[in-house]
Amino acid sequence: MTGTLLARGTAHGATALRGGNRWRPSPYLVFGGLFWLVMSLAFWRVPMCCDFGQHAAVVERLKDNLLHPAHPMADLPGEGSAYYSPYAVVQGLFAKVTGLAGWQVVKLAGPLNLLVLLTGIGRFVRGLTARPWAPVLALCAMVLLWGTRMAWWSGYLGLMSMTGNLGYPSTFAIGLAFWAWAWAGSLARGPR
């Protein structure tokens, strides 16, 4: 009985002098942070290609006329274009306020989108298991199971493909989907 009380109430060993447990970063915080840094730098170094111009043009059109933007690729009215999403409207507002060009806003969105994606993966996996290495393994699986070849399409989150499409709205949307799944899981486990 005495041993149980001591184990619960006092700190033993090297941590006793510092007052208890020390904070240590989780493996996912370390590896996810390194992944964020490396991928953000790679995203900035890779030249703009493929769909990047389309997304930058959408931001430019919204920057010019937020309520009635023209078609992103032609001199036509832009009503009904799937590219004019709430995400693009926020980017257009940001471009208008800051004076940045469309391509600059899309480039700046890359690290932010990756942050939403990484935190969403971490939160989702933590909702499934408390094992500290599980989010790291989930991140590895997500980026490696797509294969190693580049594909510049939106929503393709392979390791090499992420270097070119982190700034696309699909990366942000996939991150939000992980957050929504994590939230739904917490609601399912909570008291009703």
Side-chain angles (χ1 to χ4, degrees):
M1 179 92 167
T2 309
T4 306
L5 291 175
L6 286 176
R8 287 185 188 163
T10 58
H12 298 285
T15 59
L17 296 176
R18 291 188 290 272
N21 294 335
R22 285 189 350 192
W23 176 81
R24 289 190 313 190
S26 70
Y28 188 65
L29 184 62
V30 172
F31 286 100
L34 287 172
F35 184 81
W36 179 86
L37 180 65
V38 169
M39 291 306 291
S40 294
L41 291 173
F43 176 69
W44 279 89
R45 295 279 302 161
V46 169
M48 295 174 273
C49 173
C50 310
D51 286 349
F52 192 94
Q54 176 90 11
H55 294 288
V58 167
V59 175
E60 282 294 326
R61 296 293 192 167
L62 286 166
K63 178 181 169 184
D64 292 340
N65 189 343
L66 195 62
L67 297 177
H68 301 288
H71 190 276
M73 302 303 278
D75 192 16
L76 299 169
E79 289 100 21
S81 175
Y83 285 97
Y84 294 125
S85 65
Y87 178 87
V89 170
V90 170
Q91 284 185 317
L93 281 171
F94 182 74
K96 191 177 216 54
V97 169
T98 60
L100 293 172
W103 71 269
Q104 292 170 317
V105 172
V106 175
K107 274 289 191 184
L108 284 174
L112 174 68
N113 292 348
L114 182 57
L115 184 64
V116 171
L117 178 67
L118 290 174
T119 57
I121 291 169
R123 180 65 68 184
F124 174 65
V125 173
R126 285 276 178 234
L128 298 175
T129 180
R131 294 176 183 242
W133 285 92
V136 175
L137 296 174
L139 176 62
C140 290
M142 187 190 78
V143 299
L144 295 176
L145 290 178
W146 288 90
T148 56
R149 296 185 58 188
M150 282 192 196
W152 296 110
W153 301 294
S154 294
Y156 199 83
L157 295 177
L159 182 63
M160 296 306 290
S161 301
M162 289 176 79
T163 61
N165 60 19
L166 285 179
Y168 297 170
S170 58
T171 305
F172 185 78
I174 293 169
L176 285 183
F178 277 116
W179 273 101
W181 291 337
W183 180 62
S186 68
L187 288 178
R189 283 186 306 279
R192 294 182 186 227

